[in-house]
């Protein structure tokens, strides 16, 4: 595919993220605490997470291995960072969550599959075939170095706070508690904050249109979800800390 056609498609895809952002001001994606049977057929949460996220790995691998660009150490590092995130999200996270008997609508899982297929396709095709700047010297570029530090920081926040949330729940329960300590004193959803930082870092270290598009998609998905979670906590826990923000410490 011509680079200009590819760029146009990624721009169009990014505009869709903004439309989804607007839609999510009115509709809350019904999984996790917002799950409902009104969206038709449901599947077990653990299976849902695996089905939703594993295509992001398969499609990415396909485009990396079949891509025509030179596979130097930089390409492998850029690819490995993405793969580390998705091995956690597709395999480790679903295996660790405590979701006894909880279900999510199949249609939500299928929408997430579509989202992952397109994002992974764009990122994989760019990294595997179209990129021209992932040379060995890119590893010394300030964009790469700063982006990598931000990416690792975001991933550490995301994984550690996901882990803390998972352990709030006793093994045989499906209830919720007020998370406390560390980042949770500042915001209700530090795991989403970490994920946004992480993909912001990835966009900087890649310095590419599909990586920026993916960052915007992540932002557009997680900001409305964090606001919904925050409202849910306030509604369900009368003693919920008043000073806590939803997503960005001291801001939102
Ligand atoms: P949540 O914070 O809603 O839940 C994470 C896990 O912790 C779930 O198993 C949840 O159970 C449990 N949990 C959360 N809060 C509590 C609590 N107060 N008490 C007890 N258990 C709790 O995250 P999501 O499920 O929405 O997302 C999971 C991960 O996926 C996050 O890291 C997020 O950043 C990422 N993600 C990324 C997106 C992107 O666009 N890049 C989009 C969506 C998610 P339960 O499911 O039963 O509520």
């Amino acid at each position: 595919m011509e680079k200009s056609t590819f760029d146009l498609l990624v721009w169009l895809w990014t505009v869709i993220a903004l439309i989804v952002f607007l839609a999510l001001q009115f509709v809350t994606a019904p999984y996790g605490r917002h799950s409902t049977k009104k969206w038709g057929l449901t599947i077990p949460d653990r299976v849902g997470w695996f089905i939703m996220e594993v295509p992001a790995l398969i499609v990415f691998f396909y485009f990396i291995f079949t891509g025509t660009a030179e596979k130097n150490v930089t390409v492998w590092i850029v690819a490995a960072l993405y793969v580390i995130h998705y091995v956690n999200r597709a395999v480790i996270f679903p295996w660790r969550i405590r979701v006894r008997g909880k279900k999510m609508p199949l249609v939500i899982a299928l929408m997430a599959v579509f989202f992952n297929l397109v994002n992974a396709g764009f990122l994989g095709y760019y990294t595997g075939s179209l990129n021209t700047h992932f040379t060995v010297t890119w590893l010394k570029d300030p964009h790469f170095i700063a982006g990598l530090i931000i990416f690792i920081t975001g991933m550490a926040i995301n994984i550690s706070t996901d882990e803390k949330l998972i352990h709030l729940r006793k093994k045989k329960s499906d209830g919720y508690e007020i998370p406390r300590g560390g980042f949770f004193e500042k915001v209700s959803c530090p795991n989403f904050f970490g994920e946004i930082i992480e993909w912001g870092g990835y966009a900087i270290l890649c310095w590419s249109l599909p990586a920026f598009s993916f960052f915007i998609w992540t932002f557009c998905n997680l900001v409305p979800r964090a606001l919904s979670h925050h409202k849910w906590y306030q509604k369900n826990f009368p003693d919920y800390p008043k000073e806590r923000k939803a997503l960005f410490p001291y801001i939102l």
Side-chain angles (χ1 to χ4, degrees), residues 54-64 116-118 120-122 124-125:
V54 93
L57 275 176
I58 296 170
V59 170
F60 189 77
F61 276 134
Y62 172 80
F63 282 114
I64 294 294
N116 278 324
L117 285 178
V118 179
F122 283 145
Y125 187 68

Side-chain angles (χ1 to χ4, degrees), residues 6 9-10 13 63 117-127 210 213:
F6 177 84
L9 289 176
V10 179
W13 178 239
F63 282 114
L117 285 178
V118 179
N119 275 313
F122 283 145
L123 277 169
Y125 187 68
Y126 182 87
T127 310
S213 173

Side-chain angles (χ1 to χ4, degrees), residues 232-246:
W232 182 94
Y233 276 123
Q234 289 172 328
K235 189 172 153 216
N236 287 278
F237 294 99
D239 56 337
Y240 197 68
K242 300 262 177 299
E243 66 292 347
R244 203 176 284 191
K245 297 285 184 189

Side-chain angles (χ1 to χ4, degrees), residues 72-83:
N72 57 31
V73 65
T74 309
V75 169
W76 290 121
I77 290 174
V78 166
L81 296 173
Y82 174 95
V83 169

Side-chain angles (χ1 to χ4, degrees), residues 33 89 102 158 162 176-177 191 195 225 229 233:
R33 75 195 62 193
R89 184 63 69 237
K102 292 188 92 172
N158 176 254
D162 264 350
Y176 293 89
E177 304 212 359
N191 52 340
E195 178 120 8
R225 189 158 180 82
H229 272 32
Y233 276 123

Side-chain angles (χ1 to χ4, degrees), residues 39-228:
W39 286 54
L41 201 63
T42 54
I43 53 171
D45 262 9
R46 215 182 290 282
V47 177
W49 273 103
F50 182 74
I51 292 175
M52 287 194 293
E53 305 296 325
V54 93
L57 275 176
I58 296 170
V59 170
F60 189 77
F61 276 134
Y62 172 80
F63 282 114
I64 294 294
F65 286 115
T66 59
T68 51
E70 183 208 344
K71 303 295 181 309
N72 57 31
V73 65
T74 309
V75 169
W76 290 121
I77 290 174
V78 166
L81 296 173
Y82 174 95
V83 169
I84 290 168
H85 173 91
Y86 272 103
V87 167
N88 176 52
R89 184 63 69 237
V91 184
I92 301 173
F93 177 78
W95 174 54
R96 293 188 63 74
I97 49 179
R98 294 175 175 174
V99 282
R100 223 168 78 103
K102 292 188 92 172
K103 296 195 164 188
M104 68 168 74
L106 177 63
V107 67
I108 284 295
L110 295 178
M111 281 158 83
V113 167
F114 178 69
F115 158 76
N116 278 324
L117 285 178
V118 179
N119 275 313
F122 283 145
L123 277 169
Y125 187 68
Y126 182 87
T127 310
S129 293
L130 285 185
N131 97 80
T132 50
H133 66 292
F134 291 162
T135 58
V136 176
T137 52
W138 181 248
L139 295 179
K140 295 183 194 150
D141 191 282
H143 290 98
F144 182 84
I145 295 168
L148 183 62
I149 293 169
I150 296 168
F151 177 85
I152 292 171
T153 306
M155 181 181 266
I157 296 172
N158 176 254
I159 292 178
S160 61
T161 51
D162 264 350
E163 192 65 16
K164 187 157 182 173
L165 286 171
I166 290 169
H167 284 95
L168 274 183
R169 185 174 286 160
K170 307 274 176 307
K171 274 203 171 134
K172 294 199 171 166
S173 119
D174 60 1
Y176 293 89
E177 304 212 359
I178 300 179
R180 298 202 187 266
F183 266 101
F184 288 100
E185 294 305 322
K186 300 281 175 244
V187 292
S188 295
C189 304
N191 52 340
F192 298 170
F193 173 74
E195 178 120 8
I196 290 171
I197 298 291
E198 183 182 343
W199 292 113
Y202 197 72
I204 295 169
L205 78 87
C206 289
W207 210 248
S208 73
L209 183 59
F212 275 99
S213 173
F214 190 36
F215 166 66
I216 289 170
W217 264 100
T218 301
F219 184 93
C220 291
N221 274 331
L222 292 182
V223 171
R225 189 158 180 82
L227 293 174
S228 302

